[in-house]
Amino acid sequence: LLTKESISLAWITALQQLPQNQRAALILAEVAELSAQEAAQTLDLSVPAFNSALQRARASVQRLREQDH
């Protein structure tokens, strides 16, 4: 049975393994709920560069979750 705490811990562990730019993109999109435009501006990136970092981050987190199961 998964608990909220175990899911949170798994997510934090996955975040720690991401490169800094991917971690920042994921946090701004998923936690801060910024739009791609706002997040890109915050990170001083173009929107396509932000979207690319976010996509890579999500794929990495998914791979890490699959390795744990």
Side-chain angles (χ1 to χ4, degrees), residues 2 4 8 11 18 27 29 42 47 58-60 65:
L2 291 176
K4 185 176 180 179
S8 295
W11 198 75
L18 295 176
I27 289 171
T42 299
V47 172
R58 287 177 173 159
S60 294
R65 290 181 68 199

Side-chain angles (χ1 to χ4, degrees), residues 54-68:
L54 180 58
Q55 184 177 21
R56 287 192 311 271
R58 287 177 173 159
S60 294
V61 168
Q62 183 64 34
R63 277 193 309 276
L64 291 168
R65 290 181 68 199
E66 289 170 358
Q67 289 176 357
D68 287 342

Side-chain angles (χ1 to χ4, degrees), residues 2-67:
L2 291 176
T3 64
K4 185 176 180 179
E5 291 80 19
S6 67
I7 293 170
S8 295
L9 183 58
W11 198 75
I12 290 170
T13 300
L15 277 178
Q16 291 173 334
Q17 296 181 41
L18 295 176
Q20 184 177 355
N21 67 328
Q22 291 180 22
R23 183 171 48 245
L26 192 60
I27 289 171
L28 290 175
E30 301 293 337
V31 178
E33 298 181 347
L34 295 183
S35 69
Q37 179 73 30
E38 293 168 322
Q41 187 175 15
T42 299
L43 297 174
D44 197 26
L45 297 172
S46 67
V47 172
F50 168 78
N51 286 333
S52 179
L54 180 58
Q55 184 177 21
R56 287 192 311 271
R58 287 177 173 159
S60 294
V61 168
Q62 183 64 34
R63 277 193 309 276
L64 291 168
R65 290 181 68 199
E66 289 170 358
Q67 289 176 357

